[in-house]
Amino acid sequence: MTSNTTFPRIWMVTGASRGIGARITEAALAQGDAVVATARDAVALQQRFGHSEGLLALPLDVTDEAQAARAVAAALDRFGRIDVLVNNAGYGLLGAVEEASADEVRRLYETNVFGLLNVTRAVLPAMRARRQGHVINISSLGGYQSAAGFGLYCSTKFAVEGLTEALHAELAPLGIHATVVEPGYFRTDFLDAASLAVSPRVLDDYAASAGKVRVAATRINHQQPGDPLRLAQALLALVASPTPPLRLPLGTDTLQTIADKHAFVERETAQWRTLAASTDFPKQVAAAVV
């Protein structure tokens, strides 16, 4: 086991071989932290990051709960602790909700939701024992506002948002932080075939909604406004904060999406407030029941 005092922080990053996960891993290593970098292909990790005392590259398919437990055990054996868990592994699914098959949806949830839970459950016992740690779940702009063409992917990120809110409340009394990070469109390979599944079934009725998104995804690929290097630096600042937020939106597109959704909800709630409020028991009946 490497001494606990050798590295300021020990990170565990899933989906670390490319994209955001790779940038976070590189940034953490560059500042002198240690990283347990995991991906389905551990060879790809070694090729990207090389060999160093601060790197432990492990194979991990997050949908395999037993493998997640083994990876965490290996991390603790090597470094003695895990200070920061970054649940980054995941992929997108493009297509209208009706166009996706049951198998496509099931596979998506196995990775994006159940996989995240597998790794989190494996890491938390060691964090609870130390009363210290930070769980960071990578969500998306789509975890705050769903959209045509990405509805099923967004639904997995909505699940991640709900889980993180609960974790934040459950872990705070134990001295452990939980943050959900909501990146907008960053210039990674997320829209490439390696990270984005596309439903092969195409229904003409959705041409004006999800169909347009299929075309747009190809057009904006590798033209996204977000800088993944700056995102990685933002993650370093996040874990360095003594009071990290529950939510961290990243990118001006996410900030605008949040503002637009809040405005929409305010307008719609005001329009339907009378009907919404009409469903309580009358006050005299409620008082009698109490």
Side-chain angles (χ1 to χ4, degrees):
M1 179 190 298
T2 303
S3 169
N4 285 353
T5 60
T6 302
F7 300 100
R9 289 188 183 86
I10 313 297
W11 298 61
M12 183 171 185
V13 181
T14 67
S17 62
R18 51 193 169 84
I20 288 174
R23 296 303 191 185
I24 294 169
T25 298
E26 290 166 344
L29 290 171
Q31 75 168 10
D33 292 343
V35 181
V36 181
T38 71
R40 292 185 182 223
D41 183 3
V43 174
L45 295 169
Q46 294 289 1
Q47 290 174 342
R48 173 141 193 169
F49 306 119
H51 297 270
S52 71
E53 185 184 5
L55 175 69
L56 177 61
L58 296 174
L60 175 58
D61 176 350
V62 297
T63 67
D64 185 334
E65 186 172 15
Q67 191 178 41
R70 291 194 297 271
V72 170
L76 295 174
D77 184 63
R78 171 74 173 269
F79 296 115
R81 70 185 199 273
I82 297 171
D83 299 307
V84 182
L85 168 63
V86 181
N87 280 310
N88 169 70
Y91 68 96
L93 177 62
L94 177 57
V97 171
E98 186 185 353
E99 290 172 337
S101 69
D103 285 342
E104 287 176 295
V105 176
R106 190 174 296 109
R107 288 195 298 270
L108 186 70
Y109 268 80
E110 285 288 350
T111 297
N112 291 9
V113 180
F114 302 135
L116 177 147
L117 286 169
N118 287 338
V119 179
T120 302
R121 283 194 297 261
V123 169
L124 281 179
M127 287 187 175
R128 286 191 290 104
R130 296 177 57 240
R131 291 298 195 264
Q132 188 176 349
H134 195 164
V135 176
I136 299 173
N137 293 329
I138 304 298
S139 176
S140 166
L141 170 157
Y144 207 90
Q145 172 69 65
S146 191
F150 279 106
L152 289 163
Y153 168 74
C154 290
S155 75
T156 67
K157 294 306 184 180
F158 269 58
V160 169
E161 299 265 341
L163 289 168
T164 311
E165 282 194 16
L167 283 169
H168 184 269
E170 293 166 358
L171 297 176
L174 306 180
I176 302 169
H177 303 296
T179 300
V180 61
V181 174
E182 301 161 335
Y185 281 93
F186 277 77
R187 201 166 299 176
T188 67
D189 57 1
F190 179 76
L191 295 178
D192 290 349
S195 298
L196 180 66
V198 179
S199 292
R201 185 186 186 200
V202 177
L203 300 175
D204 291 342
D205 282 346
Y206 296 113
S209 54
K212 286 186 176 180
V213 177
R214 287 176 183 259
V215 175
T218 301
R219 185 178 67 251
I220 67 173
N221 192 18
H222 298 295
Q223 302 297 319
Q224 299 96 322
D227 181 350
L229 293 176
R230 293 175 184 269
L231 182 151
Q233 292 301 312
L235 266 287
L236 298 186
L238 170 66
V239 301
S241 171
T243 56
L246 165 60
R247 281 188 171 84
L248 179 63
L250 294 178
T252 55
D253 50 353
T254 299
L255 292 173
Q256 186 61 55
T257 295
I258 291 173
D260 290 346
K261 180 167 182 176
H262 286 182
F264 171 81
V265 171
E266 287 286 345
R267 291 193 304 271
E268 191 172 62
T269 302
Q271 181 181 356
W272 291 91
R273 180 174 297 278
T274 299
L275 181 61
S278 71
T279 56
D280 289 353
F281 280 111
K283 289 185 178 179
Q284 61 270 26
V285 174
V289 172
V290 173

